[in-house]
Amino acid sequence: MGQGVGGTLPSALSKQICTLESHGYVEVRKGYVGKRPRTWVQLSDGGRAALETHAAALQRIVEASRRTSGGGD
């Protein structure tokens, strides 16, 4: 069995995609290129909003850690 994206096994990647889809974060389309099955995954509007919220929260953590450590880099 080959590796998928980022060294992840296809079965593990498929499970993660299904989880993201069930939460409405991504939209999944399946089809073929020639005779090879393919899966296309696109961030949904809700997924984009959740990602932006999460990234902003991470940025606040970074900024807070810089303030408490005396400025950082």
Side-chain angles (χ1 to χ4, degrees), residues 1-4 7-14:
M1 179 179 278
Q3 291 186 344
T8 304
L9 292 175
S11 59
L13 184 58
S14 177

Side-chain angles (χ1 to χ4, degrees), residues 2-56:
Q3 291 186 344
V5 175
T8 304
L9 292 175
S11 59
L13 184 58
S14 177
K15 184 175 180 179
Q16 292 301 315
I17 290 170
C18 285
T19 299
L20 291 168
E21 183 180 30
S22 72
H23 286 88
Y25 293 142
V26 298
E27 298 166 355
V28 178
R29 184 172 56 94
K30 295 185 180 247
Y32 288 86
V33 174
K35 294 185 178 189
R36 297 178 145 207
R38 292 289 182 251
T39 301
W40 291 270
V41 181
Q42 180 174 336
L43 199 57
S44 68
D45 290 341
R48 186 171 313 283
L51 179 60
E52 289 171 356
T53 299
H54 187 68

Side-chain angles (χ1 to χ4, degrees), residues 60-72:
R60 287 191 300 273
I61 291 168
V62 168
E63 290 167 2
S65 71
R66 287 184 177 151
R67 284 192 302 270
T68 59
S69 68

